[in-house]
Amino acid sequence: MSLQAPEFFAELCLPFADHAVVGNTYYAAPTPGSPLRLRIDFKGALYAGTYGGLRLAVLHPDRGEIDAVALSFLDHGTFHRRDEAHGTRPGTSRYATFDGHHQPGRPPWDGAVTTRLRDAIEQYAAVWFPGARTANKPHRTTGRIPQPAPAEPVARNGSRNR
């Protein structure tokens, strides 16, 4: 099953300029010149092929993993709207998770609201990578709101602009 990890991590809009997605794992070097790296993996849930959150880890090239934390989709409301709309009840295997069962042409994590999850990742990173949060932060809009195109200037000489 393809998790479409590059698209998922792009949807998160994480503020780290120096990053790469390898397979289903996101790697970042949030602070230039620091040996520490951030790794983010999908965290398995109770059933095989089902994912219930993300696992963040801080890596050092000599010491290996020096810290890790799990962020659940449930705790961060990632699939609350989707589950409510589909009538998925708490305590069921599909609640606040995603798996390989999805509509063709849609990602397996379709319906995810990632704002609180992203904020938790940024908060965790701020502890281990001070200054990285503001140094590399891209401009982020709230949600997927279409922005109006700027109007073309009116030509004063009677000709038309294209």
Side-chain angles (χ1 to χ4, degrees):
M1 168 188 77
S2 170
L3 296 180
Q4 298 179 12
E7 293 85 357
F8 179 84
F9 291 116
E11 179 87 12
L12 276 173
C13 296
L14 295 173
F16 313 120
D18 190 10
H19 70 274
V21 177
V22 179
N24 291 327
T25 304
Y26 178 94
Y27 294 94
T31 307
S34 171
L36 298 179
R37 301 293 181 258
L38 177 66
R39 179 182 68 206
I40 305 174
D41 300 292
F42 291 99
K43 183 174 115 357
L46 185 59
Y47 299 99
T50 302
Y51 301 91
L54 298 175
R55 183 177 186 279
L56 285 62
V58 176
L59 307 174
H60 187 276
D62 298 326
R63 298 181 191 145
E65 187 174 289
I66 57 174
D67 190 62
V69 66
L71 303 176
S72 76
F73 294 142
L74 175 63
D75 292 344
H76 295 89
T78 307
F79 292 108
H80 178 74
R81 287 185 190 167
R82 179 205 66 186
D83 291 343
E84 196 171 74
H86 290 113
T88 307
R89 301 187 52 105
T92 61
S93 64
R94 296 191 112 160
Y95 188 75
T97 64
F98 74 88
D99 57 23
H101 303 287
H102 60 281
Q103 295 177 346
R106 305 295 296 179
W109 40 267
D110 190 34
V113 177
T114 59
T115 305
R116 289 176 51 202
L117 192 61
R118 176 185 51 244
D119 291 345
I121 293 168
E122 289 179 359
Q123 184 179 15
Y124 178 79
V127 171
W128 287 98
F129 308 98
R133 184 172 183 191
T134 56
N136 298 329
K137 189 161 182 109
H139 175 69
R140 177 173 83 188
T141 60
T142 56
R144 294 181 178 186
I145 301 170
Q147 301 297 319
E152 290 189 32
V154 176
R156 302 247 184 244
N157 61 3
S159 66
R160 291 178 33 182
N161 283 345
R162 292 190 180 230

